[in-house]
Amino acid sequence: MILSVTLSKPVNNIEESLGKPYTKIKIRAVNSAGGASYAAEMFTKTQVFHKKFSDSELDDFLKQNSGITFKNVVTRTDSEEITLLTNKKGKTTELRKKLNTTTGKTAPLKILPEAKKKQYLLPEGTPVPFLVLLGIMNDEGKVISSRYDKFRQINRFLEFIDDILPEFSDKTSDGEPIRIADFGCGKSYLTFAVHYFLTEIRHIKCEIEGLDLKEEVINYCNDMVKKLSLQNLIFHTGNIADYSGTHSPDIVITLHACDTATDFALKYAVEHGARAILSVPCCQHQINTQLQMRGKAGGATGDVPPEFEPLLKWGIIREKFSSLVTDALRGEWLEAQGFKVQMLEFIDMEHTPKNILIRAIKKENNRNCKTNGLELIDKLGINPELFK
């Protein structure tokens, strides 16, 4: 049985064949009513589209596109990984790797057996409805091997949520709901996880709103809510910078909100009195662009202290430096607003380089108006969104 397929490296005229300039397509097995056995995420440079396939439809789709519209195709079954590589002359090479039938990974692999020993907040072996619907678990509660990394990521995030629940003991003891806003929610794996964890495991009332720019993603999430018959969970289409919620949130979540969208979310959290923030930033383009203009490389002005020049000379180094500067300044700004800030590892670096989680808890006696960030901003000659 096919568990997943990833098609990449499209040909130049792919839009003529598939109607859109797809850059990658990810297909995975799902448990779904209505005859659909597979769900596809079809990516362009700026959008993601969703489609469902039956077994026969997937077979036809792969025959028409493997090695034809996409040069690289990786197929995972229960027992092996099959890679098709097509060169410029149209010659296709097939590579096969046997998978460890226990872990679903290319043997040998030591990480997964150790991970299975961990006591997760959402334990494996117990069916969780939203995980089954999303194709992460089967009907018996077994985690699909190709989705184990996502399962671990969800549980890791719930650990961060669980850690901050004592901050809301006054609300939970009175039976009041914890209000949560998830900005840039995307397909909302974590949003559904937080809702399930609070309501079904911790038995805490909550009201959660998700926000994202992509209308089709929001429609998908609201459709999930209806299928699962969930209460007090709703999703909206919109821009974080312009958002005005019905109620001020107690907790603001941002997972990979791109560039200054993270800053708008942090501002919203502070201005609306949020008591906790969990943010995993992404794509710090703003500072990177500003530093690119001020370094010496590429004929720019060179208006930064000489000691910073080695960090701006090479693009890949400047990008990493910009990311660290941006998130350090965010931490400084949050401390100046009265938050206790921690910079934590979200998930292992091997899974994603975007692994810093900013956890901020409101502490009035922690207010620090003298932030060191202003001196760094002045030296680098940058103008970060939060400090405008």
Side-chain angles (χ1 to χ4, degrees):
M1 174 185 172
I2 293 177
L3 298 178
S4 67
V5 186
T6 300
L7 301 92
S8 58
K9 290 195 175 180
V11 297
N12 292 331
N13 61 344
I14 188 172
E15 192 167 1
E16 297 178 8
S17 301
L18 295 180
K20 294 185 184 297
Y22 296 118
T23 58
K24 180 182 288 188
I25 295 177
K26 293 183 178 181
I27 304 170
R28 57 181 174 80
V30 295
N31 296 296
S32 176
S37 301
Y38 295 90
E41 293 178 297
M42 310 174 78
F43 299 86
T44 67
K45 289 183 178 180
T46 58
Q47 292 180 290
V48 58
F49 299 87
H50 301 274
K51 186 175 181 178
K52 294 181 179 179
F53 293 98
S54 65
D55 290 335
S56 60
E57 288 171 338
L58 177 63
D59 186 53
D60 291 341
F61 182 82
L62 294 179
K63 286 179 180 178
Q64 294 168 11
N65 294 282
S66 297
I68 301 170
T69 55
F70 289 92
K71 297 179 181 179
N72 287 7
V73 180
V74 179
T75 304
R76 280 179 175 266
T77 70
D78 297 304
S79 59
E80 63 181 341
E81 180 181 277
I82 306 164
T83 303
L84 295 179
L85 303 173
T86 305
N87 63 20
K88 294 180 180 179
K89 296 182 179 180
K91 180 181 178 181
T92 299
T93 302
E94 180 179 287
L95 304 175
R96 291 178 177 262
K97 291 182 181 179
K98 293 293 182 182
L99 297 179
N100 185 309
T101 56
T102 301
T103 65
K105 301 285 185 177
T106 304
L109 184 67
K110 296 181 180 180
I111 296 175
L112 191 53
E114 292 174 0
K116 282 191 173 182
K117 296 177 184 178
K118 181 178 174 64
Q119 296 298 311
Y120 288 116
L121 291 174
L122 299 182
E124 185 174 8
T126 302
V128 177
F130 83 91
L131 291 179
V132 174
L133 191 57
L134 288 169
I136 295 175
M137 277 184 173
N138 63 20
D139 291 328
E140 287 73 43
K142 179 177 174 59
V143 177
I144 306 300
S145 57
S146 61
R147 308 289 286 168
Y148 215 98
D149 287 343
K150 178 62 71 175
F151 177 71
R152 291 177 64 234
Q153 182 195 59
I154 288 170
N155 274 281
R156 177 60 173 154
F157 191 79
L158 291 180
E159 291 174 6
F160 291 122
I161 291 289
D162 202 33
D163 286 345
I164 66 174
L165 289 182
E167 302 292 332
F168 302 92
S169 58
D170 58 328
K171 300 198 71 170
T172 56
S173 61
D174 292 339
E176 295 183 38
I178 296 177
R179 294 189 171 98
I180 301 172
D182 186 353
F183 292 128
C185 59
K187 290 188 69 177
S188 303
Y189 289 85
L190 298 184
T191 324
F192 284 102
V194 171
H195 185 274
Y196 180 86
F197 175 68
L198 291 178
T199 57
E200 301 297 327
I201 295 180
R202 292 291 182 252
H203 304 292
I204 294 173
K205 293 181 181 179
C206 66
E207 296 176 1
I208 304 179
E209 293 189 27
L211 183 76
D212 199 278
L213 286 170
K214 301 182 181 69
E215 184 175 358
E216 66 229 28
V217 170
I218 293 301
N219 291 338
Y220 171 85
C221 292
N222 281 321
D223 184 54
M224 286 273 294
V225 171
K226 291 180 181 178
K227 289 180 179 178
L228 294 167
S229 300
L230 301 179
Q231 301 295 319
N232 300 318
L233 175 59
I234 190 168
F235 297 90
H236 305 287
T237 304
N239 191 317
I240 297 171
D242 303 322
Y243 178 70
S244 178
T246 307
H247 300 284
S248 294
D250 299 302
I251 302 173
V252 167
I253 294 170
T254 69
L255 180 67
H256 296 159
C258 189
D259 198 19
T260 55
T262 294
D263 299 310
F264 290 123
L266 298 181
K267 281 184 178 180
Y268 183 94
V270 170
E271 291 171 358
H272 289 78
R275 292 158 62 175
I277 301 168
L278 296 173
S279 176
V280 181
C282 182
C283 308
Q284 294 84 348
H285 296 308
Q286 185 190 53
I287 301 303
N288 188 21
T289 301
Q290 292 177 7
L291 289 177
Q292 183 179 13
M293 298 301 296
R294 298 185 68 80
K296 290 182 179 179
T301 62
D303 295 333
V304 294
E307 60 267 28
F308 287 110
E309 277 298 338
L311 296 167
L312 309 182
K313 184 176 181 180
W314 295 281
I316 190 171
I317 301 297
R318 187 184 62 250
E319 181 180 359
K320 293 179 183 295
F321 177 60
S322 300
S323 175
L324 294 173
V325 168
T326 304
D327 291 339
L329 289 174
R330 286 167 174 162
E332 288 282 308
W333 184 83
L334 286 168
E335 284 187 348
Q337 311 307 313
F339 285 81
K340 179 182 178 182
V341 178
Q342 294 173 290
M343 297 285 175
L344 304 169
E345 183 182 66
F346 179 31
I347 51 177
D348 295 340
M349 283 291 290
E350 65 181 277
H351 300 301
T352 174
K354 308 294 185 181
N355 76 324
I356 291 179
L357 181 139
I358 303 174
R359 182 165 68 189
I361 307 296
K362 184 70 172 179
K363 302 286 186 182
E364 290 297 338
N365 59 2
N366 196 61
R367 194 169 182 85
N368 175 23
C369 294
K370 294 182 179 179
T371 171
N372 293 324
L374 295 176
E375 184 177 353
L376 180 59
I377 290 170
D378 183 60
K379 284 188 175 181
L380 291 175
I382 55 179
N383 186 24
E385 183 64 39
L386 279 179
F387 289 81
K388 290 182 178 179

